[in-house]
Amino acid sequence: MIYVWLGVFAVCVILEFITMELVSIWLAVGALVGLIFALCGVMMEIQIAVVAVVSIVCILALRKVFLKLLNKSKDKTNLDLIVGSKVKVIKPITKDELGSVKVNGIVWSIKSIDDKTIKQDSMVEIVRIEGNKLIVKKLDNKEKLEKE
């Protein structure tokens, strides 16, 4: 079984380099645990069970964490740079209709983060981007004064 676990480990590492999906790397971790168990002389059935459990736990517990860490290193796009900007509403937001703002010469549809009505000429801050809409929050008077 030692050679089997070495082979599984090698295949999983190669697959991970090809796909970069952070799935087969956790299977490789399981294969390493299986190799350790094989070196200790543990029964084959227990090795297989342990490899399965370790691999599944690693995929479920660690994959999302590592994906988030890897994605943080991506450079921000121009769209990411408008998040946090303070802009004036050019078309009001109502309960039933999206409003509009102009950011860097482009008119965007906007939606209030708390689904409240926001009047025309009010100042809002862009909180995030969802699809082709900007999610905004209305600035209170204190925040407006800080901007000026």
Side-chain angles (χ1 to χ4, degrees), residues 98-101 106-111 132-136:
L98 298 174
S100 298
V101 294
I106 300 171
V107 177
W108 286 84
S109 295
I110 58 171
K111 181 179 177 185
N132 63 348
K133 292 185 294 288
L134 301 178
I135 307 303
V136 298

Side-chain angles (χ1 to χ4, degrees), residues 49-63:
V50 168
V51 167
V53 169
V54 168
S55 297
I56 291 169
V57 168
C58 285
I59 289 170
L60 294 176
L62 300 174
R63 184 172 184 267

Side-chain angles (χ1 to χ4, degrees), residues 78-97:
N78 288 342
L79 289 180
D80 295 326
L81 296 175
I82 67 172
V83 173
S85 299
K86 293 172 178 60
V87 292
K88 187 186 287 188
V89 175
I90 59 174
K91 179 183 170 204
I93 300 172
T94 65
K95 183 178 180 182
D96 301 321
E97 287 190 45

Side-chain angles (χ1 to χ4, degrees), residues 13-29:
V13 170
I14 291 168
L15 280 173
E16 188 59 43
F17 279 118
I18 293 170
T19 64
M20 297 297 289
E21 291 294 323
L22 289 180
V23 173
S24 54
I25 195 67
W26 306 120
L27 301 175
V29 170

Side-chain angles (χ1 to χ4, degrees), residues 66-132:
F66 278 83
L67 282 174
K68 284 181 184 177
L69 289 174
L70 291 174
N71 287 336
K72 279 187 180 179
S73 64
K74 289 185 180 177
D75 294 331
K76 286 190 171 188
T77 65
N78 288 342
L79 289 180
D80 295 326
L81 296 175
I82 67 172
V83 173
S85 299
K86 293 172 178 60
V87 292
K88 187 186 287 188
V89 175
I90 59 174
K91 179 183 170 204
I93 300 172
T94 65
K95 183 178 180 182
D96 301 321
E97 287 190 45
L98 298 174
S100 298
V101 294
K102 194 175 218 179
V103 182
N104 298 331
I106 300 171
V107 177
W108 286 84
S109 295
I110 58 171
K111 181 179 177 185
S112 173
I113 194 167
D114 52 10
D115 292 325
K116 291 186 179 177
T117 299
I118 299 178
K119 296 178 182 176
Q120 185 171 341
D121 295 327
S122 298
M123 292 298 293
V124 294
E125 180 179 352
I126 300 169
V127 178
R128 67 180 178 272
I129 302 171
E130 287 183 1
N132 63 348

Side-chain angles (χ1 to χ4, degrees), residues 1-2 5-6 29-42 47 50-51:
M1 283 303 288
I2 293 171
W5 296 126
L6 281 173
V29 170
L32 279 178
V33 172
L35 176 64
I36 293 168
F37 275 56
L39 289 171
C40 293
V42 176
Q47 292 174 34
V50 168
V51 167

